[in-house]
Amino acid sequence: MEAPVDDDDVTAAPVAEVMSTDHGGHEESSPPKTPHDDGCRSHMSDLSLERQPRQSSVSVRMEAPVDDDDVTAAPVAEVMSMDHGGHEESPTVPCLAFASEHGYSIFSLAYMRMLDGADVRPMPPVPGRRLMTSPYGGTVLATDVCYRHPCYLVNPFTGSRASLPDLPIPFSEKEPIECRSDEPRPRCARVTDDGLAWDWSPRGILVARGDTAFFCEHGGERWTPVHQSQLGSPMTINYRGGLFFVLELHTLKTTVIDAGTLQARAKIPAPPVLGDVDDAYLAPSQDDVILLVHHAGDSNGVIFTNAYRARLRGNRRTPRWKPVLDIGDRAVFIDGAHGFTVTADPEGAKANRVYVILANRLTHPCGRLAVVFDVGFSDLRRPERMGRLKLNTGEVEPMWGQPHWIMPRDRSDRRQGYIN
């Protein structure tokens, strides 16, 4: 396993040198740096890790949520071995997707360039839209902040589109949230007002708003409540191998839901974290789940301070989080909505590394604000030492929202690329 690259080393070396290190023979040259005005002032901030803004609500008829405690289901290891259309671990590196004034743009880490019209179908810019990807689903959820337009799913690689019912109202906006005096104080998770999260499965999609997660089958016309979080906690949702993984950000409890039956298959208690936590990222794989936690008050620029792993396959007992410093021949990718792992490759993602989307804020002399997206990486053993790929994605106005990871669903782009 290679040692992580210091920030100072990455800044000093051109991206071509960084990307050719330990590969000897990489023939592609690095893209030129994004031009900046001499009067620009910049500082690094991680926009992709911010949660999404508030969205108004539309009432829909719903069934009662599934009571997780009443479920007597098969162990999670059995569910993961069933055929639910889940993906195997792949060495394919993801693409960086983001909206801009020029439309929906996708930057391929495999080819280190923006994809053009031959690779991506045009998606014109629409102010007020929120676009959130499903990484392995290869699909974008388009929601309307003001509900002037309907919600839908779109595949940016093929242009196919499927309509969705209006997003449902969470239970926290219908009734008071119970909070007994003997319950622990919620951790200070950094979230937005409505806590929108979602992911795609072959059967349908799971969407979380506020404290409630709802399921809708593909082509369906109604939302079914599936899970309600404790203490009104917002959630993140990740799909992998026939299972939805729902992480409650206030309590750090994870519920594993069978995507076929919508029953809870396992509940993973919170790890033994000391002190407040201001962010957490879940990255499920075929055999286990990785949890990255960031302690409140730790220095800026560190994506996580602690890493945990819970084993799923072959585990007949309740999964438990255990600290981990080595995840073997895999790499973790996270953004503000999802996390996942890929198989490491000498010409792709490096083993035991965590990759995250970064954004460099720019202020031009005229006062115009812009961001330039990049990818940061650090070794699981040394999260305080972060390197950067120095991508050439161009400038984007902040109004267009957050960037996300995405991979073509058919995985036609199997080139790994040199991403260090």
Side-chain angles (χ1 to χ4, degrees), residues 303-326:
I303 305 304
F304 66 96
T305 53
N306 297 87
Y308 303 88
R309 175 170 58 189
R311 296 188 180 276
L312 300 176
R313 191 179 297 276
N315 187 2
R316 295 281 174 172
R317 300 180 180 179
T318 300
R320 301 283 180 176
W321 296 114
K322 294 184 178 180
V324 63
L325 296 176
D326 190 346

mmCIF file with all atom_site columns, all heavy atoms in Angstrom, residues 303-326:
data_model
loop_
_atom_site.group_PDB
_atom_site.id
_atom_site.type_symbol
_atom_site.label_atom_id
_atom_site.label_alt_id
_atom_site.label_comp_id
_atom_site.label_asym_id
_atom_site.label_entity_id
_atom_site.label_seq_id
_atom_site.pdbx_PDB_ins_code
_atom_site.Cartn_x
_atom_site.Cartn_y
_atom_site.Cartn_z
_atom_site.occupancy
_atom_site.B_iso_or_equiv
_atom_site.pdbx_formal_charge
_atom_site.auth_seq_id
_atom_site.auth_comp_id
_atom_site.auth_asym_id
_atom_site.auth_atom_id
_atom_site.pdbx_PDB_model_num
ATOM 1   N N   . ILE A 1 303 ? -11.833 15.314  6.109  1.00 0.00 ? 303 ILE A N   1
ATOM 2   C CA  . ILE A 1 303 ? -13.140 14.791  5.731  1.00 0.00 ? 303 ILE A CA  1
ATOM 3   C C   . ILE A 1 303 ? -13.711 13.897  6.814  1.00 0.00 ? 303 ILE A C   1
ATOM 4   O O   . ILE A 1 303 ? -14.903 13.926  7.097  1.00 0.00 ? 303 ILE A O   1
ATOM 5   C CB  . ILE A 1 303 ? -13.059 14.030  4.405  1.00 0.00 ? 303 ILE A CB  1
ATOM 6   C CG1 . ILE A 1 303 ? -12.455 14.929  3.326  1.00 0.00 ? 303 ILE A CG1 1
ATOM 7   C CG2 . ILE A 1 303 ? -14.434 13.540  3.973  1.00 0.00 ? 303 ILE A CG2 1
ATOM 8   C CD1 . ILE A 1 303 ? -13.211 16.231  3.140  1.00 0.00 ? 303 ILE A CD1 1
ATOM 9   N N   . PHE A 1 304 ? -12.880 13.084  7.435  1.00 0.00 ? 304 PHE A N   1
ATOM 10  C CA  . PHE A 1 304 ? -13.331 12.205  8.503  1.00 0.00 ? 304 PHE A CA  1
ATOM 11  C C   . PHE A 1 304 ? -12.236 12.070  9.536  1.00 0.00 ? 304 PHE A C   1
ATOM 12  O O   . PHE A 1 304 ? -11.053 12.303  9.256  1.00 0.00 ? 304 PHE A O   1
ATOM 13  C CB  . PHE A 1 304 ? -13.714 10.826  7.944  1.00 0.00 ? 304 PHE A CB  1
ATOM 14  C CG  . PHE A 1 304 ? -12.544 10.059  7.379  1.00 0.00 ? 304 PHE A CG  1
ATOM 15  C CD1 . PHE A 1 304 ? -11.864 9.112   8.126  1.00 0.00 ? 304 PHE A CD1 1
ATOM 16  C CD2 . PHE A 1 304 ? -12.110 10.294  6.079  1.00 0.00 ? 304 PHE A CD2 1
ATOM 17  C CE1 . PHE A 1 304 ? -10.792 8.413   7.602  1.00 0.00 ? 304 PHE A CE1 1
ATOM 18  C CE2 . PHE A 1 304 ? -11.035 9.610   5.543  1.00 0.00 ? 304 PHE A CE2 1
ATOM 19  C CZ  . PHE A 1 304 ? -10.371 8.666   6.310  1.00 0.00 ? 304 PHE A CZ  1
ATOM 20  N N   . THR A 1 305 ? -12.619 11.708  10.751 1.00 0.00 ? 305 THR A N   1
ATOM 21  C CA  . THR A 1 305 ? -11.648 11.525  11.820 1.00 0.00 ? 305 THR A CA  1
ATOM 22  C C   . THR A 1 305 ? -11.597 10.079  12.304 1.00 0.00 ? 305 THR A C   1
ATOM 23  O O   . THR A 1 305 ? -10.604 9.671   12.899 1.00 0.00 ? 305 THR A O   1
ATOM 24  C CB  . THR A 1 305 ? -11.972 12.439  13.005 1.00 0.00 ? 305 THR A CB  1
ATOM 25  O OG1 . THR A 1 305 ? -13.340 12.239  13.389 1.00 0.00 ? 305 THR A OG1 1
ATOM 26  C CG2 . THR A 1 305 ? -11.782 13.904  12.624 1.00 0.00 ? 305 THR A CG2 1
ATOM 27  N N   . ASN A 1 306 ? -12.675 9.329   12.078 1.00 0.00 ? 306 ASN A N   1
ATOM 28  C CA  . ASN A 1 306 ? -12.726 7.926   12.483 1.00 0.00 ? 306 ASN A CA  1
ATOM 29  C C   . ASN A 1 306 ? -13.407 7.104   11.401 1.00 0.00 ? 306 ASN A C   1
ATOM 30  O O   . ASN A 1 306 ? -14.336 7.575   10.746 1.00 0.00 ? 306 ASN A O   1
ATOM 31  C CB  . ASN A 1 306 ? -13.489 7.758   13.795 1.00 0.00 ? 306 ASN A CB  1
ATOM 32  C CG  . ASN A 1 306 ? -12.829 8.470   14.963 1.00 0.00 ? 306 ASN A CG  1
ATOM 33  O OD1 . ASN A 1 306 ? -13.076 9.651   15.183 1.00 0.00 ? 306 ASN A OD1 1
ATOM 34  N ND2 . ASN A 1 306 ? -11.985 7.765   15.696 1.00 0.00 ? 306 ASN A ND2 1
ATOM 35  N N   . ALA A 1 307 ? -12.951 5.869   11.224 1.00 0.00 ? 307 ALA A N   1
ATOM 36  C CA  . ALA A 1 307 ? -13.539 4.951   10.253 1.00 0.00 ? 307 ALA A CA  1
ATOM 37  C C   . ALA A 1 307 ? -13.936 3.666   10.961 1.00 0.00 ? 307 ALA A C   1
ATOM 38  O O   . ALA A 1 307 ? -13.209 3.167   11.832 1.00 0.00 ? 307 ALA A O   1
ATOM 39  C CB  . ALA A 1 307 ? -12.558 4.660   9.119  1.00 0.00 ? 307 ALA A CB  1
ATOM 40  N N   . TYR A 1 308 ? -15.108 3.126   10.565 1.00 0.00 ? 308 TYR A N   1
ATOM 41  C CA  . TYR A 1 308 ? -15.631 1.907   11.164 1.00 0.00 ? 308 TYR A CA  1
ATOM 42  C C   . TYR A 1 308 ? -16.096 0.966   10.058 1.00 0.00 ? 308 TYR A C   1
ATOM 43  O O   . TYR A 1 308 ? -16.427 1.405   8.956  1.00 0.00 ? 308 TYR A O   1
ATOM 44  C CB  . TYR A 1 308 ? -16.803 2.204   12.108 1.00 0.00 ? 308 TYR A CB  1
ATOM 45  C CG  . TYR A 1 308 ? -16.478 3.162   13.227 1.00 0.00 ? 308 TYR A CG  1
ATOM 46  C CD1 . TYR A 1 308 ? -16.615 4.533   13.057 1.00 0.00 ? 308 TYR A CD1 1
ATOM 47  C CD2 . TYR A 1 308 ? -16.041 2.687   14.470 1.00 0.00 ? 308 TYR A CD2 1
ATOM 48  C CE1 . TYR A 1 308 ? -16.323 5.416   14.079 1.00 0.00 ? 308 TYR A CE1 1
ATOM 49  C CE2 . TYR A 1 308 ? -15.749 3.565   15.502 1.00 0.00 ? 308 TYR A CE2 1
ATOM 50  C CZ  . TYR A 1 308 ? -15.888 4.929   15.305 1.00 0.00 ? 308 TYR A CZ  1
ATOM 51  O OH  . TYR A 1 308 ? -15.599 5.799   16.309 1.00 0.00 ? 308 TYR A OH  1
ATOM 52  N N   . ARG A 1 309 ? -16.135 -0.320  10.409 1.00 0.00 ? 309 ARG A N   1
ATOM 53  C CA  . ARG A 1 309 ? -16.633 -1.319  9.469  1.00 0.00 ? 309 ARG A CA  1
ATOM 54  C C   . ARG A 1 309 ? -17.555 -2.277  10.203 1.00 0.00 ? 309 ARG A C   1
ATOM 55  O O   . ARG A 1 309 ? -17.282 -2.699  11.329 1.00 0.00 ? 309 ARG A O   1
ATOM 56  C CB  . ARG A 1 309 ? -15.492 -2.100  8.825  1.00 0.00 ? 309 ARG A CB  1
ATOM 57  C CG  . ARG A 1 309 ? -15.984 -3.234  7.920  1.00 0.00 ? 309 ARG A CG  1
ATOM 58  C CD  . ARG A 1 309 ? -14.855 -3.843  7.113  1.00 0.00 ? 309 ARG A CD  1
ATOM 59  N NE  . ARG A 1 309 ? -13.787 -4.354  7.958  1.00 0.00 ? 309 ARG A NE  1
ATOM 60  C CZ  . ARG A 1 309 ? -12.612 -4.779  7.491  1.00 0.00 ? 309 ARG A CZ  1
ATOM 61  N NH1 . ARG A 1 309 ? -12.350 -4.698  6.197  1.00 0.00 ? 309 ARG A NH1 1
ATOM 62  N NH2 . ARG A 1 309 ? -11.689 -5.244  8.321  1.00 0.00 ? 309 ARG A NH2 1
ATOM 63  N N   . ALA A 1 310 ? -18.679 -2.620  9.555  1.00 0.00 ? 310 ALA A N   1
ATOM 64  C CA  . ALA A 1 310 ? -19.598 -3.636  10.061 1.00 0.00 ? 310 ALA A CA  1
ATOM 65  C C   . ALA A 1 310 ? -19.712 -4.726  9.005  1.00 0.00 ? 310 ALA A C   1
ATOM 66  O O   . ALA A 1 310 ? -20.031 -4.433  7.849  1.00 0.00 ? 310 ALA A O   1
ATOM 67  C CB  . ALA A 1 310 ? -20.965 -3.036  10.365 1.00 0.00 ? 310 ALA A CB  1
ATOM 68  N N   . ARG A 1 311 ? -19.458 -5.959  9.374  1.00 0.00 ? 311 ARG A N   1
ATOM 69  C CA  . ARG A 1 311 ? -19.499 -7.070  8.435  1.00 0.00 ? 311 ARG A CA  1
ATOM 70  C C   . ARG A 1 311 ? -20.932 -7.568  8.279  1.00 0.00 ? 311 ARG A C   1
ATOM 71  O O   . ARG A 1 311 ? -21.666 -7.707  9.252  1.00 0.00 ? 311 ARG A O   1
ATOM 72  C CB  . ARG A 1 311 ? -18.594 -8.201  8.904  1.00 0.00 ? 311 ARG A CB  1
ATOM 73  C CG  . ARG A 1 311 ? -17.114 -7.803  8.945  1.00 0.00 ? 311 ARG A CG  1
ATOM 74  C CD  . ARG A 1 311 ? -16.238 -9.011  9.216  1.00 0.00 ? 311 ARG A CD  1
ATOM 75  N NE  . ARG A 1 311 ? -14.829 -8.655  9.263  1.00 0.00 ? 311 ARG A NE  1
ATOM 76  C CZ  . ARG A 1 311 ? -14.051 -8.536  8.197  1.00 0.00 ? 311 ARG A CZ  1
ATOM 77  N NH1 . ARG A 1 311 ? -14.558 -8.762  6.992  1.00 0.00 ? 311 ARG A NH1 1
ATOM 78  N NH2 . ARG A 1 311 ? -12.776 -8.218  8.312  1.00 0.00 ? 311 ARG A NH2 1
ATOM 79  N N   . LEU A 1 312 ? -21.311 -7.854  7.016  1.00 0.00 ? 312 LEU A N   1
ATOM 80  C CA  . LEU A 1 312 ? -22.661 -8.307  6.724  1.00 0.00 ? 312 LEU A CA  1
ATOM 81  C C   . LEU A 1 312 ? -22.679 -9.753  6.260  1.00 0.00 ? 312 LEU A C   1
ATOM 82  O O   . LEU A 1 312 ? -23.372 -10.591 6.817  1.00 0.00 ? 312 LEU A O   1
ATOM 83  C CB  . LEU A 1 312 ? -23.294 -7.412  5.652  1.00 0.00 ? 312 LEU A CB  1
ATOM 84  C CG  . LEU A 1 312 ? -23.416 -5.933  5.993  1.00 0.00 ? 312 LEU A CG  1
ATOM 85  C CD1 . LEU A 1 312 ? -23.974 -5.173  4.807  1.00 0.00 ? 312 LEU A CD1 1
ATOM 86  C CD2 . LEU A 1 312 ? -24.300 -5.734  7.217  1.00 0.00 ? 312 LEU A CD2 1
ATOM 87  N N   . ARG A 1 313 ? -21.935 -10.063 5.220  1.00 0.00 ? 313 ARG A N   1
ATOM 88  C CA  . ARG A 1 313 ? -21.961 -11.406 4.651  1.00 0.00 ? 313 ARG A CA  1
ATOM 89  C C   . ARG A 1 313 ? -21.342 -12.406 5.628  1.00 0.00 ? 313 ARG A C   1
ATOM 90  O O   . ARG A 1 313 ? -20.247 -12.182 6.162  1.00 0.00 ? 313 ARG A O   1
ATOM 91  C CB  . ARG A 1 313 ? -21.210 -11.432 3.321  1.00 0.00 ? 313 ARG A CB  1
ATOM 92  C CG  . ARG A 1 313 ? -21.426 -12.725 2.545  1.00 0.00 ? 313 ARG A CG  1
ATOM 93  C CD  . ARG A 1 313 ? -20.670 -12.677 1.225  1.00 0.00 ? 313 ARG A CD  1
ATOM 94  N NE  . ARG A 1 313 ? -21.149 -11.629 0.360  1.00 0.00 ? 313 ARG A NE  1
ATOM 95  C CZ  . ARG A 1 313 ? -22.196 -11.727 -0.450 1.00 0.00 ? 313 ARG A CZ  1
ATOM 96  N NH1 . ARG A 1 313 ? -22.886 -12.856 -0.464 1.00 0.00 ? 313 ARG A NH1 1
ATOM 97  N NH2 . ARG A 1 313 ? -22.558 -10.729 -1.219 1.00 0.00 ? 313 ARG A NH2 1
ATOM 98  N N   . GLY A 1 314 ? -22.053 -13.514 5.862  1.00 0.00 ? 314 GLY A N   1
ATOM 99  C CA  . GLY A 1 314 ? -21.564 -14.528 6.775  1.00 0.00 ? 314 GLY A CA  1
ATOM 100 C C   . GLY A 1 314 ? -21.764 -14.193 8.232  1.00 0.00 ? 314 GLY A C   1
ATOM 101 O O   . GLY A 1 314 ? -21.320 -14.946 9.105  1.00 0.00 ? 314 GLY A O   1
ATOM 102 N N   . ASN A 1 315 ? -22.439 -13.064 8.521  1.00 0.00 ? 315 ASN A N   1
ATOM 103 C CA  . ASN A 1 315 ? -22.648 -12.650 9.904  1.00 0.00 ? 315 ASN A CA  1
ATOM 104 C C   . ASN A 1 315 ? -24.092 -12.937 10.300 1.00 0.00 ? 315 ASN A C   1
ATOM 105 O O   . ASN A 1 315 ? -25.023 -12.297 9.812  1.00 0.00 ? 315 ASN A O   1
ATOM 106 C CB  . ASN A 1 315 ? -22.352 -11.152 10.051 1.00 0.00 ? 315 ASN A CB  1
ATOM 107 C CG  . ASN A 1 315 ? -22.397 -10.702 11.502 1.00 0.00 ? 315 ASN A CG  1
ATOM 108 O OD1 . ASN A 1 315 ? -22.610 -11.503 12.412 1.00 0.00 ? 315 ASN A OD1 1
ATOM 109 N ND2 . ASN A 1 315 ? -22.189 -9.415  11.710 1.00 0.00 ? 315 ASN A ND2 1
ATOM 110 N N   . ARG A 1 316 ? -24.297 -13.906 11.186 1.00 0.00 ? 316 ARG A N   1
ATOM 111 C CA  . ARG A 1 316 ? -25.637 -14.288 11.622 1.00 0.00 ? 316 ARG A CA  1
ATOM 112 C C   . ARG A 1 316 ? -26.087 -13.466 12.828 1.00 0.00 ? 316 ARG A C   1
ATOM 113 O O   . ARG A 1 316 ? -27.245 -13.560 13.229 1.00 0.00 ? 316 ARG A O   1
ATOM 114 C CB  . ARG A 1 316 ? -25.672 -15.771 11.980 1.00 0.00 ? 316 ARG A CB  1
ATOM 115 C CG  . ARG A 1 316 ? -25.427 -16.674 10.779 1.00 0.00 ? 316 ARG A CG  1
ATOM 116 C CD  . ARG A 1 316 ? -26.679 -16.802 9.941  1.00 0.00 ? 316 ARG A CD  1
ATOM 117 N NE  . ARG A 1 316 ? -26.442 -17.546 8.706  1.00 0.00 ? 316 ARG A NE  1
ATOM 118 C CZ  . ARG A 1 316 ? -27.406 -17.915 7.883  1.00 0.00 ? 316 ARG A CZ  1
ATOM 119 N NH1 . ARG A 1 316 ? -28.650 -17.588 8.148  1.00 0.00 ? 316 ARG A NH1 1
ATOM 120 N NH2 . ARG A 1 316 ? -27.131 -18.568 6.774  1.00 0.00 ? 316 ARG A NH2 1
ATOM 121 N N   . ARG A 1 317 ? -25.210 -12.707 13.392 1.00 0.00 ? 317 ARG A N   1
ATOM 122 C CA  . ARG A 1 317 ? -25.552 -11.884 14.545 1.00 0.00 ? 317 ARG A CA  1
ATOM 123 C C   . ARG A 1 317 ? -25.805 -10.452 14.100 1.00 0.00 ? 317 ARG A C   1
ATOM 124 O O   . ARG A 1 317 ? -25.615 -10.092 12.951 1.00 0.00 ? 317 ARG A O   1
ATOM 125 C CB  . ARG A 1 317 ? -24.426 -11.939 15.582 1.00 0.00 ? 317 ARG A CB  1
ATOM 126 C CG  . ARG A 1 317 ? -24.131 -13.339 16.108 1.00 0.00 ? 317 ARG A CG  1
ATOM 127 C CD  . ARG A 1 317 ? -23.001 -13.303 17.119 1.00 0.00 ? 317 ARG A CD  1
ATOM 128 N NE  . ARG A 1 317 ? -22.702 -14.644 17.635 1.00 0.00 ? 317 ARG A NE  1
ATOM 129 C CZ  . ARG A 1 317 ? -21.739 -14.887 18.528 1.00 0.00 ? 317 ARG A CZ  1
ATOM 130 N NH1 . ARG A 1 317 ? -20.993 -13.883 18.986 1.00 0.00 ? 317 ARG A NH1 1
ATOM 131 N NH2 . ARG A 1 317 ? -21.534 -16.121 18.949 1.00 0.00 ? 317 ARG A NH2 1
ATOM 132 N N   . THR A 1 318 ? -26.235 -9.640  15.049 1.00 0.00 ? 318 THR A N   1
ATOM 133 C CA  . THR A 1 318 ? -26.442 -8.229  14.749 1.00 0.00 ? 318 THR A CA  1
ATOM 134 C C   . THR A 1 318 ? -25.113 -7.584  14.377 1.00 0.00 ? 318 THR A C   1
ATOM 135 O O   . THR A 1 318 ? -24.145 -7.669  15.149 1.00 0.00 ? 318 THR A O   1
ATOM 136 C CB  . THR A 1 318 ? -27.041 -7.500  15.969 1.00 0.00 ? 318 THR A CB  1
ATOM 137 O OG1 . THR A 1 318 ? -28.296 -8.093  16.301 1.00 0.00 ? 318 THR A OG1 1
ATOM 138 C CG2 . THR A 1 318 ? -27.242 -6.023  15.665 1.00 0.00 ? 318 THR A CG2 1
ATOM 139 N N   . PRO A 1 319 ? -25.017 -6.966  13.212 1.00 0.00 ? 319 PRO A N   1
ATOM 140 C CA  . PRO A 1 319 ? -23.739 -6.332  12.840 1.00 0.00 ? 319 PRO A CA  1
ATOM 141 C C   . PRO A 1 319 ? -23.356 -5.240  13.831 1.00 0.00 ? 319 PRO A C   1
ATOM 142 O O   . PRO A 1 319 ? -24.216 -4.535  14.364 1.00 0.00 ? 319 PRO A O   1
ATOM 143 C CB  . PRO A 1 319 ? -24.036 -5.749  11.450 1.00 0.00 ? 319 PRO A CB  1
ATOM 144 C CG  . PRO A 1 319 ? -25.230 -6.510  10.955 1.00 0.00 ? 319 PRO A CG  1
ATOM 145 C CD  . PRO A 1 319 ? -26.041 -6.833  12.166 1.00 0.00 ? 319 PRO A CD  1
ATOM 146 N N   . ARG A 1 320 ? -22.078 -5.101  14.073 1.00 0.00 ? 320 ARG A N   1
ATOM 147 C CA  . ARG A 1 320 ? -21.552 -4.089  14.988 1.00 0.00 ? 320 ARG A CA  1
ATOM 148 C C   . ARG A 1 320 ? -20.417 -3.340  14.310 1.00 0.00 ? 320 ARG A C   1
ATOM 149 O O   . ARG A 1 320 ? -19.659 -3.907  13.526 1.00 0.00 ? 320 ARG A O   1
ATOM 150 C CB  . ARG A 1 320 ? -21.025 -4.736  16.283 1.00 0.00 ? 320 ARG A CB  1
ATOM 151 C CG  . ARG A 1 320 ? -22.061 -5.534  17.046 1.00 0.00 ? 320 ARG A CG  1
ATOM 152 C CD  . ARG A 1 320 ? -23.000 -4.633  17.819 1.00 0.00 ? 320 ARG A CD  1
ATOM 153 N NE  . ARG A 1 320 ? -24.002 -5.407  18.548 1.00 0.00 ? 320 ARG A NE  1
ATOM 154 C CZ  . ARG A 1 320 ? -24.907 -4.875  19.360 1.00 0.00 ? 320 ARG A CZ  1
ATOM 155 N NH1 . ARG A 1 320 ? -24.912 -3.557  19.533 1.00 0.00 ? 320 ARG A NH1 1
ATOM 156 N NH2 . ARG A 1 320 ? -25.798 -5.626  19.966 1.00 0.00 ? 320 ARG A NH2 1
ATOM 157 N N   . TRP A 1 321 ? -20.303 -2.057  14.644 1.00 0.00 ? 321 TRP A N   1
ATOM 158 C CA  . TRP A 1 321 ? -19.221 -1.253  14.103 1.00 0.00 ? 321 TRP A CA  1
ATOM 159 C C   . TRP A 1 321 ? -17.937 -1.532  14.868 1.00 0.00 ? 321 TRP A C   1
ATOM 160 O O   . TRP A 1 321 ? -17.933 -1.580  16.101 1.00 0.00 ? 321 TRP A O   1
ATOM 161 C CB  . TRP A 1 321 ? -19.538 0.234   14.204 1.00 0.00 ? 321 TRP A CB  1
ATOM 162 C CG  . TRP A 1 321 ? -20.709 0.680   13.391 1.00 0.00 ? 321 TRP A CG  1
ATOM 163 C CD1 . TRP A 1 321 ? -21.903 1.156   13.847 1.00 0.00 ? 321 TRP A CD1 1
ATOM 164 C CD2 . TRP A 1 321 ? -20.793 0.714   11.957 1.00 0.00 ? 321 TRP A CD2 1
ATOM 165 N NE1 . TRP A 1 321 ? -22.726 1.474   12.805 1.00 0.00 ? 321 TRP A NE1 1
ATOM 166 C CE2 . TRP A 1 321 ? -22.080 1.211   11.632 1.00 0.00 ? 321 TRP A CE2 1
ATOM 167 C CE3 . TRP A 1 321 ? -19.922 0.359   10.930 1.00 0.00 ? 321 TRP A CE3 1
ATOM 168 C CZ2 . TRP A 1 321 ? -22.506 1.376   10.313 1.00 0.00 ? 321 TRP A CZ2 1
ATOM 169 C CZ3 . TRP A 1 321 ? -20.338 0.510   9.630  1.00 0.00 ? 321 TRP A CZ3 1
ATOM 170 C CH2 . TRP A 1 321 ? -21.613 1.011   9.320  1.00 0.00 ? 321 TRP A CH2 1
ATOM 171 N N   . LYS A 1 322 ? -16.850 -1.696  14.140 1.00 0.00 ? 322 LYS A N   1
ATOM 172 C CA  . LYS A 1 322 ? -15.530 -1.826  14.736 1.00 0.00 ? 322 LYS A CA  1
ATOM 173 C C   . LYS A 1 322 ? -14.575 -0.881  14.018 1.00 0.00 ? 322 LYS A C   1
ATOM 174 O O   . LYS A 1 322 ? -14.647 -0.728  12.794 1.00 0.00 ? 322 LYS A O   1
ATOM 175 C CB  . LYS A 1 322 ? -15.015 -3.271  14.616 1.00 0.00 ? 322 LYS A CB  1
ATOM 176 C CG  . LYS A 1 322 ? -15.824 -4.270  15.427 1.00 0.00 ? 322 LYS A CG  1
ATOM 177 C CD  . LYS A 1 322 ? -15.213 -5.660  15.335 1.00 0.00 ? 322 LYS A CD  1
ATOM 178 C CE  . LYS A 1 322 ? -16.000 -6.655  16.183 1.00 0.00 ? 322 LYS A CE  1
ATOM 179 N NZ  . LYS A 1 322 ? -15.411 -8.019  16.107 1.00 0.00 ? 322 LYS A NZ  1
ATOM 180 N N   . PRO A 1 323 ? -13.681 -0.232  14.749 1.00 0.00 ? 323 PRO A N   1
ATOM 181 C CA  . PRO A 1 323 ? -12.722 0.673   14.092 1.00 0.00 ? 323 PRO A CA  1
ATOM 182 C C   . PRO A 1 323 ? -11.912 -0.073  13.039 1.00 0.00 ? 323 PRO A C   1
ATOM 183 O O   . PRO A 1 323 ? -11.573 -1.249  13.206 1.00 0.00 ? 323 PRO A O   1
ATOM 184 C CB  . PRO A 1 323 ? -11.838 1.146   15.257 1.00 0.00 ? 323 PRO A CB  1
ATOM 185 C CG  . PRO A 1 323 ? -12.678 0.955   16.478 1.00 0.00 ? 323 PRO A CG  1
ATOM 186 C CD  . PRO A 1 323 ? -13.519 -0.264  16.215 1.00 0.00 ? 323 PRO A CD  1
ATOM 187 N N   . VAL A 1 324 ? -11.612 0.603   11.951 1.00 0.00 ? 324 VAL A N   1
ATOM 188 C CA  . VAL A 1 324 ? -10.878 -0.025  10.857 1.00 0.00 ? 324 VAL A CA  1
ATOM 189 C C   . VAL A 1 324 ? -9.884  0.976   10.284 1.00 0.00 ? 324 VAL A C   1
ATOM 190 O O   . VAL A 1 324 ? -10.171 2.178   10.188 1.00 0.00 ? 324 VAL A O   1
ATOM 191 C CB  . VAL A 1 324 ? -11.849 -0.522  9.761  1.00 0.00 ? 324 VAL A CB  1
ATOM 192 C CG1 . VAL A 1 324 ? -12.618 0.632   9.136  1.00 0.00 ? 324 VAL A CG1 1
ATOM 193 C CG2 . VAL A 1 324 ? -11.122 -1.318  8.693  1.00 0.00 ? 324 VAL A CG2 1
ATOM 194 N N   . LEU A 1 325 ? -8.705  0.489   9.940  1.00 0.00 ? 325 LEU A N   1
ATOM 195 C CA  . LEU A 1 325 ? -7.679  1.297   9.286  1.00 0.00 ? 325 LEU A CA  1
ATOM 196 C C   . LEU A 1 325 ? -7.293  0.752   7.922  1.00 0.00 ? 325 LEU A C   1
ATOM 197 O O   . LEU A 1 325 ? -6.579  1.419   7.176  1.00 0.00 ? 325 LEU A O   1
ATOM 198 C CB  . LEU A 1 325 ? -6.420  1.382   10.172 1.00 0.00 ? 325 LEU A CB  1
ATOM 199 C CG  . LEU A 1 325 ? -6.583  2.095   11.511 1.00 0.00 ? 325 LEU A CG  1
ATOM 200 C CD1 . LEU A 1 325 ? -5.289  2.016   12.313 1.00 0.00 ? 325 LEU A CD1 1
ATOM 201 C CD2 . LEU A 1 325 ? -6.985  3.548   11.300 1.00 0.00 ? 325 LEU A CD2 1
ATOM 202 N N   . ASP A 1 326 ? -7.764  -0.451  7.602  1.00 0.00 ? 326 ASP A N   1
ATOM 203 C CA  . ASP A 1 326 ? -7.397  -1.078  6.339  1.00 0.00 ? 326 ASP A CA  1
ATOM 204 C C   . ASP A 1 326 ? -8.622  -1.818  5.807  1.00 0.00 ? 326 ASP A C   1
ATOM 205 O O   . ASP A 1 326 ? -9.155  -2.712  6.476  1.00 0.00 ? 326 ASP A O   1
ATOM 206 C CB  . ASP A 1 326 ? -6.235  -2.047  6.542  1.00 0.00 ? 326 ASP A CB  1
ATOM 207 C CG  . ASP A 1 326 ? -5.650  -2.550  5.224  1.00 0.00 ? 326 ASP A CG  1
ATOM 208 O OD1 . ASP A 1 326 ? -6.309  -2.367  4.178  1.00 0.00 ? 326 ASP A OD1 1
ATOM 209 O OD2 . ASP A 1 326 ? -4.553  -3.134  5.250  1.00 0.00 ? 326 ASP A OD2 1
#
